[in-house]
Amino acid sequence: MHLLIGNLGHFFVIASFVTALFTFFIYVKAVRSQDLVEQKQWLENGRVGFYLHTFSVLGIIFALFSIIYNHYFEYHYAYSHSSLHLPGQYMVSCFWEGQEGSFLLWMFWQAILGLILIRTQKTWEGPVMSVFALVQAFLTSMILGVVIPGLELKIGSSPFVLLRDAMSDSIFISNPEFIPADGKGLNPLLQNYWMVIHPPTLFLGFAVTLVPFSFCIAGLWYKKYFEWIKPALPWGLFAGVVLGVGILMGGYWAYETLSFGGYWNWDPVENAVYVPWLILIAAIHVMMLYKTTKSGLRISMVLAISVFILILYSTFLTRSGILGEASVHSFTDLGLSGQLLIYLFVFTVGAIALMAVRWKEIPSTEKEIATWSKEFWIFLGIATLCLMGFQVLVPTSFPVWNKFVGMFGVSSNIATPANQVEFYSRLQLWFAVVVAFLSGMAQFFWWKRIDGTNWKKEILLPVLLSLLVSLIIINIFSIYTVTFGILMWAGVFIIGSNLRVLILSFRKNPSISGGGITHVGVGLMLIGILFSSGYSKIVSLNNTGLLISKQMSTDFNRENLLLFINQPQNMGDYELEFLGERYEASDKNIYIKKHELEFTDDPYKMVAKTDIAVNNKNYFKTADTVLINPENTFYEIALRKDGSEETILYPRVQMNPSMGTLSSPDIMRGVSKDLYTHVSAPMDKNVEPEWSKLEEIRVKIGQQFFVNDYVAVLTDVRPVKSVAGFEIGDENVAAQATITIKGEHSDYIAKPIFLIRDALSNASVAYLPEEVADLGAKITLVNIHPNEQEFTLGINTRQKDWVIIKAMEKPFINILWLGTGLLAIGFGVAMVRRFKEM
Amino acid sequence: MKKTHIIALLVIAVAVAIIITTAGDASSYVTFDQASQMASSGNTKSIHVVGSLKKDEAGQITGMESSADKLSFSFVLVDDNSKEQKVYYNEPMPPDFTKSEKVVVIGHYDRDIFIAEKILLKCPSKYQDNKLKNV
């Protein structure tokens, strides 16, 4: 039992909470103090408080990580998120798989940001750091794990809880010192490199949204109503790029790992970060607008605050368990709902109250907005972005609504529309079209004075030109759907108009070209989304014409293919052939046929039965140890087109006894389209298959016979001294037959054993048959007839191995990833510029 | 009226329109009895039903049938009112289906059979477990 590290961790948790509260009060004192010398002292104390807080947060992280890294399974966190065989890089993912760890990650980023702000923002330090410290106090309270005596009120859920305190298993009553030998392991879905970088990116994004919020609160508090925008803007851009890239990383992970078949599923958990991001984008635009035109101050404030409140709201949605029946992957309820709700309310009510008090004092322009001004077009764009977020927010909040009216005795059972992808996409598509046109327009107005005299040349011409270009594209790719056609036009327009602006601004000064690059990226993303989702098609159509069930009145589209081993099957233009199940050699990155490996005591180590070569390169010799992950099975599927092999696909199925079975696709990437294949149903090897009745044959050595319609030959029978790695001893006698079976692609060897126990006294016979899984056959050496030099072999057969797959074609998905890259670069350029201005 | 006011009014109008259309498209969580009533009154909208798989005394799941080619299957779901209903799903059985504690089926009635368009599985064991394994 390693109690010290847990106690140390727990101490740091309490220390970080206390120091956060302390820092908060000190900084508030600093803001309120009128005397400059006194204020300086308060600030210095506040700084020390925050340094101590940061140190404590690092201490918690250190303690938790050492528990995971050293496999201290006496701790609940290590036991339930890690295991002995987890590869090193995924130890990091374990850290934030649980709620507590992800709160820690969030706190960590905020602490770092706080340190940066202390160094760089001397004038704003007091109010900004007050907000930071208060937020940190709330976050640390979530992992406090303290029970208030008397009230029986539990605050927070500590990651340092011992397994015996967390679980009610009876073993702990008889043996409180019990430590499980291994942990339950990391959710196989998260064993992916994207899951190593996606959560930190997303939480950094969450953390950065606090910066513009804090500056805005500081501005209201200090009554510096417009000065806050300057330092807040670059941080807003930083938040925009980090959060945006974080979200898309999640999408890319889903595309690569999940078998949902897409990068975006409109799951409530995804929506919960998409909405704040949209509002953040709106906030960034209006802040930039204010800097050049001095209008939109109040909206900037409302939006900067909304972004952070929405982040808190999404935290509440995903972590309170309220999405339970609506989402496939939200966190489980740790009993934090009350605390999360208080956290949300404090900041919502506080920010709204502060705004309300100051509202009248906030300067606003009374002048009328002209239609020929950039303000007009940008305001329209912002309004559209906000409505776009609102449309997603409303159905995502249904579970909250049900609960809320339930508290007043009204029963409500509304659920998100059954086909959520179609439901959201239908309206979001139109919003995207409007946003694209408005942003193209706004770019013209931003860079040039446009009025009644030159609008034909400056605006009408580009609009018509883009229409022409998009009509050409529409005809080339046969996009004969009105909505997609218009979306294409919008995409071309935003790319065209921004390319023009980009060229102009780049000539002037490359540092101001950020906006242009970002918008071109957005246009490419729209087109990529249009093709990959609108024109993605399922190619694994079942054309066998077999009826499933006579009860069904409607005929359904059948979108999966059943592949039997070594039996080519047509799929569209392709021919598919399932070649068998494979293990991956952990350190070699090659796939090995399952029947070439033999089990050992350690499930993660196997022994090669023969020499193993892949592509004429020898990797293992007979009896070499091969490291594998027994949870992962890869299904080797050859893909041929016009008789020649295109590629070999290895979709994966991961079977984790406690986490379940998960299927990941293999993607054949192409410039114009990806072919996306995953296993939709694997054969369950844990269920004993139905074998045919034993069929006996008598053969001589060298004689040919048939096994499940394959030609086989008995090559040899010889006595052996060891069976399955064990010496059998002198009192036992064993004979091993060697049978070679000609498969479609290679020969298989089966070595059944005939064993006579206690040959000298009361002899008994045991059979050790061998199964050739690929061929669906089991061979037993039933008897030996020494006089005739013949052997009786028993043959059982079963249905051959199979796998059911689903395959999709995703056209031009690379345009989406390219657009994402440009978006990030554009944001980066703009951010650097604004940081320099600061 | 100023242009900002017009924009504001427009935004409110669109927001209201969004709420109305969303409410119109919304599905709901119902029991099988309610679902079958809705179907017989001509309402073909997809709805959500929450239930668990039918089990016999020994705790074995019963009533599950896969088609010969395993590309579709049917099962018996027991809703919160203990009503049993045969559900048909035109996809291979999702991995871990049999391990799930709770099943949410989204779909509609077709005569006596409930046709699921989508199945959500809730496997509490996936994330939280109160028992140790192999002890």
Side-chain angles (χ1 to χ4, degrees), chain A residues 28-99:
Chain A
V28 170
K29 278 272 182 205
V31 177
R32 310 193 75 164
S33 111
Q34 303 297 326
D35 181 73
L36 276 181
V37 181
E38 204 178 282
Q39 190 183 42
K40 202 168 160 258
Q41 281 168 348
W42 284 121
L43 285 177
E44 272 163 11
N45 283 323
R47 240 167 269 164
V48 173
F50 198 77
Y51 294 155
L52 284 174
H53 169 74
T54 309
F55 180 75
S56 310
V57 171
L58 294 176
I60 310 172
I61 292 172
F62 167 77
L64 186 56
F65 194 73
S66 17
I67 285 174
I68 294 171
Y69 190 78
N70 293 316
H71 302 300
Y72 294 158
F73 296 126
E74 56 266 47
Y75 288 96
H76 182 244
Y77 207 85
Y79 171 75
S80 47
H81 299 295
S82 178
S83 66
L84 289 175
H85 286 286
L86 197 70
Q89 68 271 31
Y90 300 137
M91 297 264 178
V92 198
S93 317
C94 288
F95 184 89
W96 48 69
E97 192 206 9
Q99 279 219 43

Side-chain angles (χ1 to χ4, degrees), chain A residues 167 169 183-184 324-325 327 332 369 371 413 415-416 418 426 548 553 556-558 659-661 802 804, chain B residues 3 25 27-29 46 48 67 69-72 88 90 96 102 110-111 120 122 126 128-129 132-133:
Chain A
M167 286 198 176
D169 204 285
K184 286 204 302 180
E325 274 160 14
S327 163
T332 32
I369 294 174
T371 319
N413 59 4
T416 33
R426 199 181 58 214
I548 331 150
S553 50
F556 285 98
N557 273 328
R558 312 274 308 285
M659 305 285 179
T661 310
W802 51 264
I804 297 172
Chain B
K3 253 188 218 109
D25 282 339
S27 171
S28 50
Y29 290 101
S46 286
H48 294 55
S67 66
D69 58 4
K70 301 186 178 63
L71 293 181
S72 64
Y88 172 82
N90 186 43
D96 290 336
K102 246 182 172 185
D110 185 0
R111 282 178 275 172
L120 293 182
K122 278 283 149 185
K126 227 168 185 162
Q128 213 98 58
D129 209 344
L132 291 168
K133 65 169 188 185

